Amino acid sequence: FGSAGSRAPCHSLRHVHQAMAIAGMMKDSVAWVLGSLPQLAIAGAFAGSAIAMKALPLLGLAPKPMAEELLSAYEAFIELPLLAPVVKPLHIGAREMMLGLALAHLAAAALLVLPSGRVPARAAGLWAMVAMAGAEYCTRETNFVPPMTPPEFAWHAKVIGSATHVFLFLLGGACLFRNFASLGLVAAVFGRCCRRKTSSADSKVKEEKKEDAPVKVSTPKSPQVSKASASNMPTKEVAAAQAGSRKRTSTPPPSKAGYTKGNAAARGAAAMQ
């Protein structure tokens, strides 16, 4: 029972530490996403629009009604007063316009994600502002709604589309005029790979040094006498005095018979011995 009771607090503490670690990771992730919101939002929206609304219909991979509606919408776009003087002399049709916009959107998304620095972010932000202003102008002038939208939801789709254009326009302005830099995904991946290679190379070098290092044989050391004990050792004079005192104490005292027996001369000689 005691072992089971002692294990329960350990498991609970382990779960608490894991929960705290996960909460810290989530907090860091949320902070990074909020700090990189303009780059992530523009890159995601432009990449999705380029693939779903332009590349797939051109490649014939989108549903046929959707592709037909998009082609007819772009044919109406190139007839607008602001676009016709630029598009018609270059002989750009609806398909060419869709392809050009798809490539420009993908390039802007790549500039926001792959390199690092403020210059790519500013270029992508400028394109986002131009593209969103043009998209709002084209959709308002042609009364365009997203393809395959039911008629009863056309007004809602227009409001959502206009709100999206304004939101991305403001984010593009933030990338252009504020201190937002590109995310630098290539530099991060390349730096992590370089760190792994350098760490593995350093570990191999350390292992080789350990293998090549000479083995030291430990020899027993002679006992050393401390200075305090050496200073406390007796000198020759002290040793001689101690030896003399030992001799004096070792001589037996004269017996009582020498004082009692014989004449005075004998007693004196006995006392002198």
Side-chain angles (χ1 to χ4, degrees):
F1 293 103
S3 61
S6 62
R7 288 176 185 175
C10 295
H11 286 295
S12 62
L13 288 174
R14 188 179 302 172
H15 291 316
V16 169
H17 288 306
Q18 290 178 356
M20 291 176 65
I22 293 172
M25 293 174 62
M26 291 178 64
K27 182 179 179 181
D28 295 338
S29 301
V30 171
W32 180 80
V33 169
L34 292 177
S36 306
L37 181 61
Q39 301 95 314
L40 294 174
I42 294 174
F46 277 22
S49 175
I51 294 172
M53 303 292 289
K54 298 169 182 64
L56 293 181
L58 290 175
L59 296 174
L61 300 177
K64 193 173 181 179
M66 177 180 175
E68 291 177 353
E69 289 185 22
L70 286 173
L71 285 173
S72 62
Y74 276 93
E75 288 176 357
F77 292 164
I78 61 177
E79 297 293 335
L80 291 174
L82 292 180
L83 294 179
V86 180
V87 172
K88 287 186 178 180
L90 298 175
H91 304 285
I92 295 176
R95 290 181 175 274
E96 290 80 9
M97 188 176 180
M98 291 176 66
L99 180 60
L101 289 175
L103 294 176
H105 285 2
L106 290 175
L111 286 175
L112 287 171
V113 175
L114 298 180
S116 57
R118 292 183 59 189
V119 175
R122 285 181 174 180
L126 178 60
W127 171 249
M129 296 177 71
V130 172
M132 292 301 101
E136 184 64 20
Y137 167 74
C138 293
T139 54
R140 283 293 184 92
E141 292 294 326
T142 59
N143 202 16
F144 172 78
V145 293
M148 303 178 67
T149 301
E152 60 270 18
F153 296 109
W155 183 82
H156 303 82
K158 290 179 182 180
V159 172
I160 293 172
S162 297
T164 304
H165 296 156
V166 173
F167 179 66
L168 293 176
F169 181 87
L170 295 176
L171 293 181
C175 291
L176 180 60
F177 298 109
R178 301 297 295 273
N179 295 326
F180 287 101
S182 297
L183 300 181
L185 183 61
V186 173
V189 173
F190 184 72
R192 185 172 295 180
C193 294
C194 290
R195 288 193 203 98
R196 288 181 180 177
K197 288 181 181 179
T198 53
S199 61
S200 61
D202 293 339
S203 62
K204 287 181 181 179
V205 170
K206 289 181 181 178
E207 290 177 359
E208 290 177 358
K209 287 182 179 179
K210 287 182 181 179
E211 292 177 357
D212 296 338
V215 180
K216 294 182 180 180
V217 180
S218 60
T219 56
K221 296 182 179 180
S222 60
Q224 297 180 356
V225 180
S226 62
K227 293 183 178 179
S229 60
S231 62
N232 294 328
M233 292 178 67
T235 61
K236 292 182 179 180
E237 291 79 2
V238 176
Q242 290 178 356
S245 63
R246 283 196 296 271
K247 286 182 181 180
R248 286 194 298 270
T249 55
S250 62
T251 56
S255 62
K256 294 180 180 181
Y259 292 98
T260 56
K261 294 180 180 182
N263 53 12
R267 290 195 297 271
M272 294 296 293
Q273 288 179 356

